[in-house]
Amino acid sequence: MEQLEKIRLRLNAELQAMNRIIIDTLRTGNDMMNNIVTAYLQKKGKQIRPLMVILSAKMFGEVNDDVLHAGAALEMLHNASLIHDDVVDETSLRRGEPTINRMWGNHIAVLVGDYFVSNALAAGIRTGHLSIISALSALGKELSLGEIDQICNARNHHLDEGSYISMIRQKTASLFINCVRMGAEAVNAPEDKILPLVKYAELLGLCFQIKDDIFDYFANPAIGKPTGNDLREGKVSLPLLYALNNASEEKAAPMRELLIRGDLSTDEIDSLIAFAIAEGGIDYAYERMRCMQIEAEAILNQYPDSEARTSFQEIFDFIISRDH
């Protein structure tokens, strides 16, 4: 976490101003909503996405109110997706604390998530940039379609790497792409200068999800979900995909049959996890991330040396090395 904390310290003033916008935007006359939102905001995550909005703006200009409102909008939209995900996944803990759905029930949690979405759009409107408002709208669609793609892949047993990469591009990378795009557009950066950074953000987002999926293969109480949780839902991620497609047919066939049959027992999930690890799936996932990092480094090196460029490089290091 040291790398990320250094970046947060560099951008402390901007982050504080952005978080104040979030607090002010979400404030309402309803005591119940205020209590829920206040408690939720006290348990801030890493805020990588708004950091990227601010850093993107710094690559091309100076941070202004439009940048801060864009960052606030993205952070609220991201949190809305987490709140809704907790309902869908029946998650009881996030960041080591009880989720809104556990404390208040699914009905209230969905409404709170919807409230975050509406206020994210309101913050986007305050930038006055039609491109930012359009990006927020498109992003909501991308995130939803990414989740639907994941469900379809599980139900239709699409056990290939191409389908997986396409799904996580929509589900996760789209959010990182819009972070850098919105930050750059808030300072009126030219499109030809933005496009390489967009590609960098895509690679970062893909790595973020690959690393997140690796966590499902190991016990880690800090994450707030049990090992094998994705497999219980029929979601097959990169380590297992690699093992299924590269192990001998004698080893892979029974594992494939388990996934097609579904309704897995704990022992069967343990068998799938052990198979993925033994057949080099985790090693392959790290290799893919390292290749993406090398490509991302080459993209960043197209830009002049700056503190913002260094921070983007450090964020990529953090994404691959993080433990939760």
Side-chain angles (χ1 to χ4, degrees), residues 10 37 70-71 108 126 131 142 151 158 190 204 214 238 256 272-273 278 291 295 305 307 319:
R10 289 176 203 147
V37 168
I108 296 294
R126 292 191 192 102
S131 60
E142 289 287 320
I151 292 169
H158 290 161
L204 179 68
I214 288 173
L238 189 58
R256 203 175 290 115
L272 285 164
I273 290 172
C291 288
E295 185 179 351
D305 188 22
E307 191 175 80
I319 291 302

Side-chain angles (χ1 to χ4, degrees), residues 256-282:
R256 203 175 290 115
E257 289 172 8
L258 284 179
L259 290 168
I260 292 171
R261 193 204 71 209
D263 193 23
L264 301 171
S265 69
T266 298
D267 286 344
E268 288 167 339
I269 289 170
D270 289 344
S271 295
L272 285 164
I273 290 172
F275 166 73
I277 295 172
E279 295 302 319
I282 302 298

